[in-house]
Amino acid sequence: MPIIDILVNCPSIETADIISAALIEQRLVACSNRYPPIQSSYRWQGKLEHEEEHPLLLKTRAALAQQAEDAIRVLHPYDVPPIIRLNIDGANQDYIDWVYSVTRER
């Protein structure tokens, strides 16, 4: 029963909270963690940018990863949202069972 984490940086707390609530409500993820703001630097359209972002970590079953990513893309304001899937090598079985119990079947 594989699970994954999905990491996505958001431009605001509001965006992170909207994504989190929607995906939990749709049962695409079991839970989320919103971390304190970080300073991100990147090149966009030929220009060096420096922006504050809010990391959001979402936890789900591996089989729901694409559906969760599709939902994030709809809700995220960036043209190219940073959606990173992290494979979980192991976790306690009761946690895995909980993730499966609160997320939907395919």
Side-chain angles (χ1 to χ4, degrees):
M1 296 182 4
I3 61 172
I4 67 162
D5 286 350
I6 299 173
L7 177 63
V8 58
N9 287 344
C10 299
S12 67
I13 290 171
E14 294 78 19
T15 298
D17 289 349
I18 287 167
I19 290 170
S20 172
L23 272 64
I24 292 170
E25 178 66 30
Q26 295 172 45
R27 297 177 56 113
L28 290 173
V29 301
C31 61
S32 70
N33 302 113
R34 180 172 36 85
Y35 293 97
I38 58 171
Q39 182 65 36
S40 295
S41 300
Y42 53 91
R43 186 166 299 283
W44 181 249
Q45 298 179 342
K47 185 177 164 193
L48 184 58
E49 301 284 348
H50 304 282
E51 298 290 337
E52 181 176 275
E53 292 186 301
H54 301 266
L56 180 64
L57 187 65
L58 304 159
K59 295 127 185 235
T60 191
R61 13 172 133 191
L64 293 174
Q66 188 60 53
Q67 290 176 350
E69 181 176 331
D70 293 344
I72 292 165
R73 287 181 180 280
V74 168
L75 297 167
H76 203 290
Y78 289 175
D79 292 338
V80 182
I83 303 168
I84 301 169
R85 297 181 193 182
L86 305 166
N87 291 317
I88 303 302
D89 188 22
N92 52 314
Q93 190 60 50
D94 51 344
Y95 176 73
I96 294 170
D97 293 343
W98 174 77
V99 168
Y100 272 73
S101 74
V102 298
T103 55
R104 63 178 156 171
E105 295 291 329
R106 284 222 242 166

